[in-house]
Amino acid sequence: MVRAVVLGLVAVMALAGAPAAQARGATGATGACAAGQLCLWPKPGYRGAVHASELAGIDIESCMALPAGVTGASLANRTGHPVTTYQSATCAETGEFDTYPSGTWTPESPYVVRAYKVWEH
């Protein structure tokens, strides 16, 4: 719960323009993740080659494992839907998981992201 509130505050700060470079990463991550996408970077701070998933290619409320060799350490949710990320590649709730509202920019995930689910609402 606290993590969700903190993430929400980071998103609000980013939208309000307060330390936007810190919230979005030094490379201007907003340009690297288009509306309708879930973007994952392999390193904290939105660094490394971005892996972007288009909302049109995502099964809503289904576990979407990342391709072999792809993991996430930072992420941006621009899908327009809440997204849950999982430490487990099978979306098992025995590992770590968190839900991020649309518009969230997370410079450092508390765990390695290996799968996600996009929710209807």
Side-chain angles (χ1 to χ4, degrees):
M1 179 67 176
V2 172
R3 190 179 301 151
V5 171
V6 170
L7 292 173
L9 289 174
V10 169
V12 168
M13 285 174 38
L15 292 174
Q22 290 178 354
R24 296 183 185 148
T27 60
T30 55
C33 189
Q37 291 183 330
L38 173 66
C39 299
L40 296 146
W41 288 264
K43 298 178 183 176
Y46 315 107
R47 293 180 296 124
V50 66
H51 173 79
S53 298
E54 295 280 340
L55 185 58
I58 298 171
D59 291 330
I60 300 293
E61 299 189 14
S62 294
C63 182
M64 304 293 292
L66 296 177
V70 175
T71 59
S74 53
L75 64 105
N77 177 9
R78 300 204 58 211
T79 63
H81 299 268
V83 171
T84 301
T85 62
Y86 297 86
Q87 184 178 36
S88 162
T90 60
C91 298
E93 294 181 2
T94 53
E96 294 287 325
F97 63 96
D98 290 293
T99 301
Y100 300 94
S102 183
T104 301
W105 288 80
T106 306
E108 187 168 359
S109 174
Y111 50 86
V112 174
V113 175
R114 294 182 178 93
Y116 62 90
K117 283 184 188 178
V118 176
W119 301 99
E120 186 63 39
H121 295 290

